[in-house]
Amino acid sequence: MAKTDEAVEQDTGKAARREARRVRAAENAVDSIPPFARLFPLGLQHVLAMYAGAVAVPLIVGGALGYSAADLTFLISADLFVAGIATIIQSVGFWRFGVRLPLMQGVTFAAVGPMIAIGQSEGIQAVFGATIACGLFMILVAPFFSQLLRFFPPIVTGTVILIIGLSLMRVAAGWIIDGSTEGAPPINVAFAFGTLLLIVLIERFAPPALQRVSVLLGLVLGTVAALFVPGMVDWSHVGDAAWFAVVTPFHFGLPTFQVASVVSMIIVGIVIMTETTGDMIAVGEIVEKPVDRRQLADGLRADGLGTVIGGIFNTFPYTAFAQNVGLVSLTGVRSRYVATAAGVMLVVLGLIPKVSSVVEGVPRAVLGGAGIALFGMVAASGIRTLTKAKFNNKNVLIVAISVGVALLPTVAPTIYDQFPQWFTLIFDSGISAGAIFAILLNLLLNSDEMRASAAADPALAAYDAVRGPAAAALVHPDAEGTGLIPTQVLDADAAPQASLDPVAAEPGAKVPDGPERGVAEPGTPEARLQP
């Protein structure tokens, strides 16, 4: 039977719409190159989203090691320069390096504590040596890392990320105090919390595009406000900074390789690889190009190569920036060349010392306020990862002990002063110590036999962990309960009938029949309600 003209028109319209969708999908594919008019603003958006986090690490490490304004400017320039190179390697790729997805690379916060500890005891050359060794380690183990992932379930990675955020709060407090021996000046506290307030207001009232760069905008507006307070902003050295300069390798001297420093940084490298693995899998799902094991290994090799280049060019270990993964999801732009364009911009910024010099002149109090938000976001990211774990008593214990051990050097900085140097290099940072404890405790408490024996146990909420036996009595299907709250024994052959009506708990009380309610006789299995 011949189709009517109307049916033919409908089929033609459907075919045209399918073809239009196919063309749009091809234009927005991972390997497509958007026109420059779109490529530049999209790349700039990625740079703005990561900029505050990217420059924070050289400011933290250089400040802790007492570097001058000129040296801090150089560290920031080197950081931006290598971040751009690492991003280009990751997004464009060559041979077996690069995941070839829209991923931005930046210095990891996980290395801050160990690097400060190494730098204060062995010098910055040992930091760069440990960074190079860490990168080589990452390149070598990349093909085998998928086999090591079982040592880093969410309970471990979430705990480590949480520890990183909590440990860095001391840095934010140090920025607010700004070298004072009598506590933070009130004006510094005012600017710190004013910056925080600006960030919150931007998140609440600004358009979504500006919300993505709320921390950066908070820094900018806080600095503008500080210009009206004499002595708050010092940009006297900006005029001395060159408009263009090449980032030279081994600017601070040839690297040295100390065994304890290398071991400490390799632990950080394992954390970096775990974090990057999660980011690569996430962005692969967002752009609908799932990451296989070969791509995963290629991406981890790129992380390692970026870290080696970082050590050579006077900067630190690199990882994928999670906030940029969120930006890919928000914008819906899948092209990896958007990240490449952002990488080129970072390289250019790294070659302009005046830009780095302006960043170095941001008031420390303003940085402290932004740091509270920035480092708090890191801690919150760890909590979000922990929500993927089953919070039974063992897992709560893993988190509790690991966080407690990690925070000891934070609350008592001299606690390990009488220990050998190799010990303090690993445990003084807190982050390395917390990671070691989280890994070992997980292997001990979550072995295959332990998991098998606990398979039928209920997952207790974190707030019930301390009251483990009582909480288990309330929710375990075989328990009789405490008598305070009625419980229900589940019958495999019958659907559970339950009521939370207080009347149902009274002797002889009848509950009206209905689709979700029935007769409840005290003392019978049907009357034991499981919360």
Side-chain angles (χ1 to χ4, degrees):
M1 182 176 179
K3 289 186 178 180
T4 64
D5 292 342
E6 183 178 353
V8 171
E9 287 180 4
Q10 288 179 346
D11 290 345
T12 304
K14 290 178 181 178
R17 287 193 293 273
R18 283 196 298 269
E19 178 63 17
R21 284 196 296 268
R22 188 192 66 77
V23 171
R24 286 196 299 271
E27 291 175 349
N28 192 30
V30 171
D31 297 321
S32 64
I33 304 177
F36 183 79
R38 292 186 64 227
L39 190 64
F40 180 81
L42 289 170
L44 180 61
Q45 186 172 234
H46 272 289
V47 172
L48 294 176
M50 70 171 290
Y51 195 86
V55 301
V57 174
L59 283 171
I60 295 169
V61 176
L65 300 182
Y67 278 6
S68 65
D71 285 338
L72 284 175
T73 297
F74 184 87
L75 283 175
I76 294 170
S77 294
D79 175 28
L80 295 174
F81 178 76
V82 178
I85 293 175
T87 298
I88 294 170
I89 293 172
Q90 192 70 274
S91 57
V92 176
F94 69 93
W95 189 50
R96 299 302 303 276
F97 291 86
V99 72
R100 295 169 174 82
L101 289 175
L103 275 176
M104 297 294 297
Q105 301 290 108
V107 174
T108 176
F109 283 105
V112 169
M115 287 191 300
I116 291 175
I118 294 168
Q120 289 176 340
S121 60
E122 301 291 342
I124 194 70
Q125 295 85 359
V127 173
F128 298 141
T131 299
I132 293 171
C134 173
L136 292 173
F137 169 81
M138 292 165 68
I139 293 172
L140 291 174
V141 304
F144 314 104
F145 190 73
S146 60
Q147 307 302 322
L148 301 177
L149 280 177
R150 64 189 183 93
F151 295 112
F152 296 90
I155 193 67
V156 173
T157 54
T159 300
V160 173
I161 297 170
L162 173 62
I163 288 169
I164 292 168
L166 294 178
S167 299
L168 290 175
M169 281 301 169
R170 184 172 64 176
V171 173
W175 278 340
I176 298 172
I177 294 172
D178 196 17
S180 173
T181 58
E182 300 177 355
I187 187 69
N188 286 16
V189 176
F191 267 94
F193 282 93
T195 304
L196 267 180
L197 178 61
L198 286 171
I199 293 170
V200 172
L201 292 177
I202 292 168
E203 286 284 352
R204 173 62 181 86
F205 296 108
L210 295 181
Q211 291 174 10
R212 299 298 303 177
V213 292
S214 58
V215 175
L216 181 64
L217 286 178
L219 281 169
V220 172
L221 296 175
T223 303
V224 170
L227 289 172
F228 296 95
V229 180
M232 283 291 292
V233 181
D234 179 17
W235 279 335
S236 59
H237 55 281
V238 174
D240 299 329
W243 279 106
F244 178 83
V246 177
V247 179
T248 54
F250 306 126
H251 176 80
F252 296 97
L254 293 176
T256 60
F257 299 89
Q258 307 289 335
V259 175
S261 303
V262 170
V263 171
S264 179
M265 201 64 78
I266 283 176
I267 293 173
V268 172
I270 294 173
V271 175
I272 292 171
M273 296 174 80
T274 306
E275 185 180 355
T276 299
T277 296
D279 289 334
M280 285 192 290
I281 292 172
V283 80
E285 293 174 354
I286 291 170
V287 301
E288 297 181 0
K289 189 176 180 181
V291 177
D292 56 28
R293 286 194 175 186
R294 175 171 177 170
Q295 277 183 291
L296 176 60
D298 293 349
L300 294 176
R301 283 194 196 92
D303 254 18
L305 181 59
T307 299
V308 170
I309 296 172
I312 294 172
F313 282 91
N314 321 285
T315 184
F316 313 116
Y318 283 81
T319 186
F321 262 33
Q323 58 263 46
N324 292 91
V325 174
L327 189 57
V328 172
S329 177
L330 180 71
T331 62
V333 178
R334 302 176 181 179
S335 172
R336 58 190 170 109
Y337 293 104
V338 170
T340 305
V344 173
M345 293 177 198
L346 288 171
V347 170
V348 172
L349 288 173
L351 297 175
I352 305 175
K354 274 200 184 297
V355 174
S356 302
S357 186
V358 169
V359 173
E360 192 280 326
V362 173
R364 292 293 182 267
V366 173
L367 279 174
I372 293 173
L374 198 62
F375 306 148
M377 288 177 187
V378 175
S381 177
I383 294 172
R384 181 173 58 190
T385 303
L386 285 173
T387 61
K388 302 174 185 176
K390 179 182 179 181
F391 258 93
N392 51 29
N393 277 339
K394 294 180 180 61
N395 281 344
V396 170
L397 195 63
I398 292 171
V399 178
I401 294 176
S402 301
V403 172
V405 169
L407 292 184
L408 285 177
T410 300
V411 299
T414 60
I415 189 170
Y416 298 128
D417 280 2
Q418 298 186 36
F419 283 75
Q421 191 176 41
W422 66 267
F423 183 92
T424 57
L425 281 175
I426 296 174
F427 284 85
D428 244 359
S429 72
I431 297 171
S432 300
I436 292 172
F437 268 77
I439 294 168
L440 295 180
L441 286 171
N442 179 64
L443 291 175
L444 177 65
L445 298 178
N446 282 328
S447 63
D448 292 340
E449 309 93 77
M450 296 292 290
R451 281 199 298 270
S453 65
D457 289 346
L460 303 180
Y463 52 79
D464 278 333
V466 178
R467 304 172 298 171
L474 296 180
V475 299
H476 198 282
D478 297 328
E480 291 296 323
T482 61
L484 297 177
I485 301 177
T487 59
Q488 176 185 10
V489 175
L490 298 179
D491 188 343
D493 300 324
Q497 294 179 339
S499 170
L500 298 179
D501 195 329
V503 178
E506 297 177 3
K510 299 278 186 176
V511 181
D513 292 336
E516 296 179 0
R517 309 185 74 160
V519 178
E521 190 67 26
T524 64
E526 290 79 6
R528 301 188 198 125
L529 307 180
Q530 180 180 357

